Amino acid sequence: MKSRTNSTWGGRFSQAPDQLLRDFTESVSCDSRIAVQDILCSLAHAAMLHKQGILTRKEYTSIRKHLQNIHKEIVSGKLVWKTELEDVHMNIESELTRRTAAGAKLHTGRSRNDQVATDLKLWILDTSASLRGHIRLMQTALLLWAQRQGHFIMPGYTHLQRAQPILLAHHLLAYIEMLQRDIGRFLDCEKRTRSCPLGSGALAGSTLPLDRNHTAKELGFIDSNGRPLLTANSLDAVSDRDHAVEFLSACALCGIHISRLCEDLVLWSTSEFCFIRIGDAFTTGSSLMPQKKNPDIAELARGKTGRLIGNLVNLLVTLKALPLSYNRDLQEGKPPVFDSAETLSRTLQVLAAMIHNTNAIQSNCEAAASDPLLLATDVADELVRHGVPFRDAHHIVGAAVAYSEKNNCSLFNIPEQEAKKISPLLPKALSAANKPPKQQLKKRNMPGAPNPELVKKEILRWQKILASSSKESSSTLRASHTTRSN
Ligand code: ARG
């Protein structure tokens, strides 16, 4: 029996939905992105309904065959999405039912509420893993740069004022560390996303004998021992979007790290710093000023972080004060998730390519690091070695710096007599610290410091981590190809 109004829920309505309502409530223009996950969900649900004796073998086989065909048509872009069918779920179900009468039984014991929750979780699990791959690409680009030119000495900054000499590799490795924490955050998000809501129904499960363990296993919601992972409360299951918040938060923080890196790169590419040159193919010119070469990729990547943060706040505000359980507001939770994933993935890929095409200018980095004042702390440390309390040492070197500024001479060129007047130990301390910056760096021996030997070891450590993770991901890729072709 078909309703004249709406084939899905029109039974109790006497008027067809108004066009304004249809345009306002449709979501297929956006949620067709979870179509593949929706098909997977439906395949698992149908298999379970058959196992439970709710679908006959014939009905199940027909549903499976037609869902597989629809899947192919979605992937090849052949299937036409209809906004009048509201969302991706109703589009697929109505297409299935058009092809086989058994399609009308697929929604047994299921609601779009548990369906969309499951689809989105599957999508987040997939996308999070692929973003981790893109973060790896960025780490690799930074590491290759560190291997190429990491031995260049440059100033390290605090308050954007030259502070102490470091190695370029040390600076680049700092970003590799931040990105590693981002990978950890995505993994963490995946861990909590991995519990299957399917079978929670609209909000209170079903009176039919569904086997939730079976669908969870089919969809890969399992622990490391292959045991199914189920959501424990049906109200929570259909209204929970924590996984989307965690995903957006991981995207936003990764974006912030990228933005900080880009800020450094923009500064370094200015004539004022002139520490790096970005390859022509990765910079833009000005429509007016012929001399300009602008670091647009880095600027846009910095700018796009605003979207990533905005998307997180968008979802948080949508969720705030939503009563249990499902509310239509939740439909608004998807566009920010899709936008952040796409923004971050494109940003990581283009930036990695730009970094492969970026080089530091050794002479400029080293000239900036050769300022003797960058070794002022090292001089104070030398005084400490002679038993001077650090606070006093700080004052003594401060006075030496003031003398050198006043008399326009370098810290290491203060006449011995004058130095002695400041402190009898100062000439010794000055001569002990008056070494090329690289030699001074060798004195910094604790873990985490920019000692050239330690930095080399860090580069090797990262080389191993990145090599083993690329082996891992290519074997996962091989495994997933084998599974799919089976
Ligand atoms: N398009 C909806 C969404 O994305 C699907 C769930 C609709 N559920 C409902 N009870 N109207 O949230």
Side-chain angles (χ1 to χ4, degrees):
M1 191 193 66
K2 282 244 146 74
S3 150
R4 284 177 299 110
T5 56
N6 177 299
S7 60
T8 311
W9 41 258
R12 54 109 64 219
F13 290 80
S14 56
Q15 286 182 318
D18 192 276
Q19 189 59 41
L20 282 170
L21 169 131
R22 283 187 187 170
D23 293 347
F24 188 65
T25 56
E26 73 82 21
S27 60
V28 69
S29 51
C30 160
D31 62 23
S32 59
R33 289 168 193 245
I34 52 172
V36 170
Q37 288 73 16
D38 198 66
I39 299 260
L40 288 175
C41 253
S42 290
L43 285 169
H45 186 64
M48 182 276 291
L49 291 178
H50 169 51
K51 185 182 91 61
Q52 299 300 91
I54 299 171
L55 287 180
T56 64
R57 163 151 293 279
K58 208 169 148 217
E59 286 166 336
Y60 169 54
T61 322
S62 169
I63 287 177
R64 193 180 57 192
K65 181 182 91 191
H66 287 291
L67 278 176
Q68 284 166 342
N69 289 339
I70 294 172
H71 175 243
K72 277 188 208 135
E73 288 169 34
I74 290 171
V75 174
S76 65
K78 259 206 220 136
L79 192 88
V80 180
W81 300 108
K82 297 182 183 141
T83 50
E84 61 271 26
L85 290 173
E86 203 177 298
D87 59 21
V88 65
H89 322 290
M90 303 232 265
N91 265 268
I92 292 174
E93 189 187 316
S94 118
E95 187 56 31
L96 176 71
T97 312
R98 197 179 63 75
R99 296 175 192 209
T100 167
K105 290 196 173 182
L106 178 63
H107 214 52
T108 311
R110 183 175 82 168
S111 155
R112 278 182 294 156
N113 298 354
D114 58 350
Q115 201 179 345
V116 66
T118 311
D119 291 358
L120 188 61
K121 279 188 165 188
L122 287 173
W123 189 91
I124 285 179
L125 285 167
D126 256 16
T127 310
S128 176
S130 111
L131 282 173
R132 285 192 281 112
H134 293 141
I135 296 178
R136 279 279 183 253
L137 286 183
M138 263 294 286
Q139 287 181 308
T140 306
L142 289 166
L143 188 69
L144 286 174
W145 190 8
Q147 286 172 312
R148 230 171 40 239
Q149 301 187 305
H151 56 284
F152 295 180
I153 302 271
M154 64 182 292
Y157 291 81
T158 61
H159 312 268
L160 208 53
Q161 309 288 324
R162 285 178 194 164
Q164 291 177 335
I166 55 162
L167 291 171
L168 172 61
H170 198 56
H171 200 116
L172 299 175
L173 284 163
Y175 284 107
I176 295 182
E177 291 292 335
M178 293 177 221
L179 292 169
Q180 187 65 9
R181 292 196 294 275
D182 291 326
I183 288 180
R185 267 179 284 272
F186 278 110
L187 278 169
D188 226 33
C189 159
E190 289 165 37
K191 211 163 55 195
R192 271 184 297 277
T193 303
R194 207 166 282 116
S195 64
C196 187
L198 210 57
S200 302
L203 74 160
S206 170
T207 59
L208 296 165
L210 309 181
D211 181 350
R212 293 193 62 204
N213 287 325
H214 191 268
T215 29
K217 273 195 195 163
E218 285 272 305
L219 290 171
F221 288 100
I222 45 171
D223 67 14
S224 52
N225 298 313
R227 278 192 296 261
L229 295 165
L230 307 182
T231 52
N233 179 300
S234 60
L235 291 180
D236 179 39
V238 295
S239 61
D240 168 34
R241 293 295 182 271
D242 290 3
H243 40 284
V245 170
E246 290 189 34
F247 177 80
L248 287 175
S249 158
C251 288
L253 193 43
C254 183
I256 286 171
H257 293 147
I258 287 171
S259 182
R260 296 184 72 177
L261 166 66
C262 287
E263 174 67 12
D264 274 336
L265 297 178
V266 169
L267 278 174
W268 291 357
S269 70
T270 58
S271 320
E272 283 71 18
F273 275 80
C274 205
F275 286 178
I276 59 168
R277 205 166 278 130
I278 303 172
D280 279 2
F282 290 86
T283 50
T284 58
S286 152
S287 58
L288 178 72
M289 299 166 281
Q291 87 285 9
K292 286 300 286 291
K293 179 171 157 169
N294 298 324
D296 286 28
I297 292 178
E299 291 169 85
L300 269 172
R302 196 176 54 186
K304 283 184 192 288
T305 305
R307 290 170 77 128
L308 298 175
I309 298 167
N311 286 335
L312 169 63
V313 176
N314 178 338
L315 180 60
L316 286 170
V317 177
T318 302
L319 294 175
K320 179 189 169 294
L322 272 193
L324 284 182
S325 60
Y326 178 85
N327 297 272
R328 192 63 182 269
D329 316 41
L330 290 172
Q331 182 170 292
E332 283 298 299
K334 274 170 287 173
V337 172
F338 298 146
D339 184 68
S340 279
E342 187 174 334
T343 303
L344 186 60
S345 134
R346 288 175 60 204
T347 306
L348 286 165
Q349 292 179 73
V350 70
L351 255 189
M354 188 194 93
I355 286 167
H356 285 300
N357 285 275
T358 298
N359 279 306
I361 305 164
Q362 186 167 19
S363 51
N364 292 348
C365 292
E366 298 196 347
S370 68
D371 178 349
L373 291 182
L374 270 60
L375 295 177
T377 317
D378 295 35
V379 178
D381 287 349
E382 290 303 333
L383 288 168
V384 169
R385 278 188 232 278
H386 288 98
V388 180
F390 181 76
R391 258 313 132 229
D392 298 341
H394 192 289
H395 272 279
I396 293 168
V397 180
V401 169
Y403 179 95
S404 76
E405 268 176 11
K406 195 164 152 213
N407 296 281
N408 205 15
C409 73
S410 136
L411 183 64
F412 294 115
N413 289 338
I414 299 177
E416 196 175 335
Q417 278 317 102
E418 297 300 322
K420 263 196 186 142
K421 276 192 219 157
I422 298 172
S423 158
L425 290 170
L426 184 58
K428 257 196 189 151
L430 281 171
S431 92
N434 185 13
K435 305 271 155 49
K438 196 164 235 163
Q439 221 164 310
Q440 278 305 108
L441 278 181
K442 286 187 187 156
K443 296 181 184 167
R444 300 182 174 269
N445 259 328
M446 59 291 301
N451 175 305
E453 281 312 308
L454 293 178
V455 171
K456 238 186 241 167
K457 279 190 190 149
E458 277 300 283
I459 290 180
L460 278 174
R461 182 172 75 84
W462 276 109
Q463 238 174 311
K464 279 188 200 138
I465 295 173
L466 296 185
S468 75
S469 93
S470 88
K471 248 188 245 152
E472 242 168 62
S473 59
S474 56
S475 66
T476 328
L477 210 66
R478 270 200 304 280
S480 76
H481 277 309
T482 337
T483 327
R484 259 177 230 144
S485 54
N486 277 345

